[in-house]
Amino acid sequence: MKKYEGKSVFGGIAIGKVLVYKKGEQQVKRWRVSDVKAEIQRFEDAKMAAVEQLKQLYDKAVREVGEASAAIFEIHQMMLDDLDYIDSIHNMIETQEVNAEYAVAATSDNFAMMFSSMDDDYMKERAADVKDVSERVLAILNGGSKSTVDTDEPVIIVADDLAPSETVQLDKDKVLAFVTVHGSSNSHTAILARTMGIPALIGTPVDLDSVDGKMAVVDGYAGAFIVDPDGDTMTQMEEKKKKDQEKKELLQTLKGKENITLDGKKVMVYANIGNIKDLAMVLQNDAGGIGLFRSEFIYLEHDDYPTEEEQFKIYKAVAETMAGKRVIIRTLDIGADKQAAYFNMDHEENPALGYRAIRICLTREEIFRTQLRAIFRASAYGKISVMYPMIISMDEVKKIKKIAAEVKAELAEQNIAVGEVEQGIMIETPAAVMISESLAKEVDFFSIGTNDLTQYTLAIDRQNPKLEDFYDPHHPAVLNMIRMTVENAHKAGIWAGICGELGADLELTKFFLSIGVDELSVSPGSVLAVRKAILETDVEKEREEQLKKWL
Ligand code: PEP
Ligand code: MG
């Protein structure tokens, strides 16, 4: 038995087999081979295995997201059959007597460079595809499979670190828990674990090779990862898991109850989602609506820009499933840690302060307009609101509103039905807080993104694991920013909520209610615990003490 300590980002107990997750990006070494024929055969075998994987992915995608989205896997198969690509690899192995991995990686780089230098936009985008499909072959040559959980039984995923684009591709039904060596508790992998309601540890110093395939326990309460647990530990953990389950069942008795404080203040408790599949958890936990749909996860799941039709289908399905409850779709918040290769973004020194979110939407309007058309069209099928991320100025809000009005007018001209769509903004920069009095007059609601607001207020990179101890969302500067935002919202007669991770912090529920927060949007698994805290609060009685305690 071996026990590792990590930092917990979500509680819960998971017991199961470990699967060490291999990175999408393969490390490639070059070495000399003596039998070039055998090496070419090794490449051909890997290529065939890759084609087989792609066929299966295509069938799965057709079933889950439709033929149009699945087409990318067909394109990848065609690329693997491309004679120029194959000739280049064969030739390199033969003439340079190098290993297949090196030949694939070098060919991939050359082809990607060639595609990206083309004038045609379609061809330019193929650069990302040739890299992607080559990585699949490389993963097979290295004895793994690319970005998939290749298992029949649910497993504990252990990895060095996970990028949002990697986590999003995992088959959620097969994941019991996450354990990573690196990563930060404010990263989107941590957020995903919370959304899925499964235990997750970061900063766990595991030797990956020594744990693969072993039986293990993740204790998300104690921050422990126990590999090869002995009999006693296993019994203890099974007992703990049972108790955890009982507690969760007790919370289930709060289903159907209103979120109302002891002194009668009503609060909206909504859920955050990143994917249509998260809706099951939302319904199971009785959330009053969706307070944050991170739409960029749709983009991360695709190998190319999702079309209006693809997006429309997803938004419509969410609106219909929520059956008249509010669904707030946040427009594309890509950039920083959330990267999709086909956006072809330049390398940036400070990506969190860089070209991201609304900045991309306002400079690449065609992407923004496509998304807005899809959102507005879906609004005819439920109660959809839209909100915009990373706002820093009034000018941005005015531009956004102009574009949104044009998109609506265009739809009206085409006789396409559109519902009443409230437009809100995320307050996640100190700039937005400081001008929130004016911004409030322009929009229908505010949603405070405390993850980024903490990052930008405290000048702390939320992704940097070394800064975990400095990243303090309880800092009075952050809490005062939240108070100011809520006050300015109310002055203009609009509502203000919190959709960052802090919304689920039960230590702060009383404080949030004291400053008048109208909505808390949390991971689906936290909805009932937040409801319980609201039911136990007397706002009037506790206000003064709360303000004194936190500000
Ligand atoms: C936030 O910043 O608090 C937020 C909700 O957005 P994200 O975590 O997706 O950046
Ligand atoms: Mg944010």
Side-chain angles (χ1 to χ4, degrees), residues 12 15 48 112 240 257 326 351 435 480 503:
I15 303 174
M48 260 168 58
K240 202 167 173 181
K257 295 223 161 99
R326 189 185 264 132
I435 59 166
N480 262 310

Side-chain angles (χ1 to χ4, degrees), residues 269-270 282-283 286-290 318-328 381-385 531:
V269 181
Y270 291 169
V282 172
L283 299 177
D286 193 32
I290 306 290
V318 175
E320 285 177 339
T321 310
M322 291 308 289
K325 291 182 178 150
R326 189 185 264 132
V327 173
I328 304 177
Y381 299 85
K383 188 175 175 185
I384 285 186
S385 305
R531 175 170 300 165

